């Protein structure tokens, strides 16, 4: 009995062992995953020995630092006026036979604008010619017979008197006037410009002095800028002026201060400054314009774009692109005109940490870290507001 019990236990253990071995073999064959923690021949895991991944370059926008004149400016608002606005009127009466332009037409000096019916003018000229011929015949009858009879030619003084008596001089003047009026039957533009308005129509009968058209010369414009009285002493005739207008978006125009007018408005405390922009046709009389007038010029300065200057830990700095990395560089900023900021020598070393030609990041730098990998997406040309020998604004508007 005891021997039979031990025999059954042995068979049960053998059965359990067989089932376990079978299960382990199946798991190893079908579901085993590779050992990713295996060590290499040096005994270091592959994760621990891998090199760090390279950072992705961040796109930024940069402008070059430059050396030149920092121009401080006075900000002002002005209105555009036309120096040459010609309101044409008829010098003679007549009937309009041809209207050769319309409002908005571009015209050249001497170009015909209106033609009157020429026939009435031709008739007047022919009548004057006939009258002159009649008077000349009467003049000859006054002296030729006596000259033949007596064999003597009248003196020049007597001939002149006889011409007046015969009415030759008056008839000649009438003929000259008739020809002049016939020439005025064609009305030409007195200047190069544009037709602003036309005041008549074909077939219309008008008298002398009637309005014909208005011609505007866009090449002769002036801007009258309103400048506060305490800014007037900062300005000088011939100083540079930078002009922008909401009517011409994205356009910057350059001109000169032509005159500083002597009177100051006692109520507004503003004086007037005349600015001219030669050859500029984008402006129109009646437009408003923003004007920056040169007040002071600081020569030979190292400058960075003002928008590039930021602060970290209370210290001003700019990011300079060097070998594909944005490296912050602490600077000592000086005067600024809103577009450019001068960089002063360091108070400790006496050196300016920026040189002309350095690429200064102006966009994408606000959250940039030192020595971050960057790529310059667009190296912009200088904005037109800052020329070769700088621009800017002296007092950022004292209003």
């Amino acid at each position: 009995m005891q021997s039979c019990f031990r025999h059954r236990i042995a068979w049960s253990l053998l059965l359990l062992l067989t089932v376990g071995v079978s299960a382990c073999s199946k798991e190893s064959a079908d579901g085993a995953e590779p050992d990713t923690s295996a060590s290499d021949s040096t005994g270091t895991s592959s994760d621990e020995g891998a090199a760090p991944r390279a950072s992705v370059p961040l796109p930024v926008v940069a402008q070059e630092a430059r050396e030149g004149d920092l121009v401080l400016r006075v900000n002002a608002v002005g209105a555009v006026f036309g120096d040459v606005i010609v309101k044409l009127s008829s010098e003679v009466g007549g009937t309009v036979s041809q209207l050769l332009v319309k409002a908005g037409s571009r015209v050249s000096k001497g170009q015909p604008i209106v033609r009157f019916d020429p026939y009435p003018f031709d008739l007047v000229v022919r009548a004057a010619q006939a009258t002159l011929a009649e008077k000349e015949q009467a003049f000859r009858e006054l002296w030729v017979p006596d000259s033949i009879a007596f064999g003597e030619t009248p003196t020049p003084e007597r001939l002149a008197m006889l011409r007046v008596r015969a009415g030759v001089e008056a008839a000649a003047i009438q003929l000259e006037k008739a020809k002049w009026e016939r020439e005025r039957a064609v009305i030409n533009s007195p200047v190069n410009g544009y037709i602003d308005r036309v005041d008549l129509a074909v077939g219309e009968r008008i008298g002398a002095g009637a309005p014909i058209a208005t011609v505007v010369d866009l090449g002769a414009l002036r801007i009258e800028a309103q400048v506060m009285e305490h800014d007037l002493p900062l300005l000088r005739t011939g100083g540079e002026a930078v002009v922008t207008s909401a009517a011409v978006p994205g356009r910057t125009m350059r001109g000169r201060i032509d005159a500083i007018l002597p009177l100051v408005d006692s109520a507004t405390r503003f004086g007037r400054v005349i600015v001219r922009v030669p050859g500029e046709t984008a402006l129109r009389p009646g437009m408003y314009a923003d004007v920056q007038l040169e007040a002071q010029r600081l020569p030979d300065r190292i400058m960075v774009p003002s928008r590039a200057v930021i602060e970290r830990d209370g210290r001003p700095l700019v990011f300079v692109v060097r070998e594909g990395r944005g490296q912050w560089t602490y600077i000592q900023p000086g005067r600024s005109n809103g577009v450019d900021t001068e960089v002063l020598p360091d108070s400790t070393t006496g050196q300016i940490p920026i040189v002309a030609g350095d690429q200064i990041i102006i966009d994408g730098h606000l959250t940039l870290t030192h020595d971050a990998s960057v790529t310059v997406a667009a190296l912009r040309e200088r904005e037109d507001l800052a020329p070769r020998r700088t621009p800017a604004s002296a007092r950022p508007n004292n209003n």
Side-chain angles (χ1 to χ4, degrees):
M1 184 72 178
Q2 191 175 14
S3 174
C4 182
F5 180 73
R6 285 198 299 265
H7 183 70
R8 289 179 179 176
I9 291 176
W11 275 105
S12 299
L13 290 174
L14 180 60
L15 180 61
L16 290 173
L17 181 60
T18 302
V19 172
V21 170
S22 175
C24 289
S25 299
K26 183 177 181 181
E27 182 179 352
S28 176
D30 298 337
E33 294 192 4
D35 186 1
T36 58
S37 61
S39 301
D40 58 15
S41 59
T42 62
T44 305
S45 69
S46 59
D47 287 345
E48 292 175 352
R53 293 182 180 178
S55 60
V56 177
L58 301 174
V60 296
V61 178
Q63 284 182 355
E64 289 188 356
R66 64 192 190 88
E67 182 177 3
D69 294 350
L70 178 64
V71 180
L72 305 179
R73 299 184 181 277
V74 170
N75 293 329
V77 176
V80 182
F81 295 90
D83 280 341
V84 181
I85 300 178
V86 182
K87 295 183 178 180
L88 292 175
S89 58
S90 175
E91 297 182 79
V92 296
T95 302
V96 178
S97 63
Q98 288 183 303
L99 183 58
L100 304 174
V101 297
K102 61 182 180 179
S105 297
R106 183 174 182 175
V107 293
S108 302
K109 184 177 181 179
Q111 177 180 334
I113 293 177
V114 174
R115 284 194 176 98
F116 292 153
D117 182 2
Y119 184 67
F121 297 95
D122 290 338
L123 285 179
V124 174
V125 170
R126 289 162 56 190
Q129 288 173 334
T131 300
L132 177 60
E134 180 182 341
K135 299 301 181 182
E136 287 179 340
Q137 179 61 34
F139 164 66
R140 286 190 291 271
E141 291 176 355
L142 288 176
W143 68 271
V144 171
D146 291 343
S147 176
I148 294 175
F150 297 103
E152 295 180 358
T153 302
T155 63
E157 290 78 8
R158 179 169 175 75
L159 288 175
M161 181 188 69
L162 293 176
R163 284 177 64 85
V164 172
R165 181 186 299 179
V168 174
E169 296 298 334
I173 292 174
Q174 288 299 319
L175 176 59
E176 185 177 348
K177 180 182 177 182
K179 290 180 177 180
W180 178 85
E181 289 181 345
R182 184 172 62 179
E183 290 177 357
R184 296 305 183 274
V186 178
I187 300 175
N188 302 318
S189 174
V191 295
N192 297 323
Y194 292 83
I195 301 296
D196 181 70
R197 60 178 295 168
V198 177
D199 297 295
L200 43 68
V202 174
E204 185 176 353
R205 171 73 184 179
I206 63 173
I212 298 293
T214 301
V215 185
V216 180
D217 182 0
L218 296 182
L221 301 177
R222 73 181 187 276
I223 301 171
E224 292 191 8
Q226 303 291 320
V227 179
M228 296 191 71
E229 59 180 352
H230 56 260
D231 285 333
L232 289 173
L234 302 174
L235 307 179
R236 62 177 178 83
T237 301
E240 190 179 44
V242 177
V243 179
T244 57
S245 175
V248 192
R251 180 80 175 274
T252 301
M253 295 154 279
R254 297 192 170 280
R256 293 287 174 184
I257 298 175
D258 187 64
I260 301 173
L261 302 184
L263 297 181
V264 174
D265 191 298
S266 59
T268 64
R269 315 312 303 171
F270 279 92
R272 291 179 300 152
V273 174
I274 303 299
V275 173
R276 297 192 185 277
V277 186
E280 184 55 62
T281 59
L283 297 175
R284 298 286 189 274
M287 286 183 176
Y288 284 97
D290 295 315
V291 185
Q292 293 184 330
L293 305 171
E294 178 183 338
Q296 186 178 3
R297 186 177 290 268
L298 307 177
D300 303 326
R301 306 299 166 111
I302 295 294
M303 291 166 286
V304 296
S306 296
R307 61 190 291 191
V309 182
I310 60 175
E311 285 191 2
R312 295 285 170 87
D313 298 328
R315 296 179 61 186
L317 61 85
V318 295
F319 277 90
V320 182
V321 180
R322 294 191 177 98
E323 297 181 355
R325 295 190 173 274
Q327 299 178 347
W328 70 28
T329 303
Y330 291 108
I331 65 170
Q332 181 68 33
R335 302 286 292 276
S336 176
N337 57 31
V339 175
D340 293 303
T341 297
E342 67 171 323
V343 181
L344 302 176
D346 184 78
S347 57
T348 303
T349 64
Q351 300 294 319
I352 297 178
I354 302 295
V355 297
D358 281 348
Q359 291 189 34
I360 310 298
I361 299 177
I362 62 172
D363 195 9
H365 61 307
L366 298 181
T367 58
L368 200 63
T369 59
H370 175 62
D371 209 36
S373 179
V374 297
T375 177
V376 179
L379 182 58
R380 295 179 179 173
E381 295 292 335
R382 281 203 49 74
E383 297 179 12
D384 198 18
L385 193 57
R388 290 294 176 202
R389 310 278 295 178
T390 348
S393 70
R395 294 185 200 184
N397 212 345
N398 298 302
N399 271 356

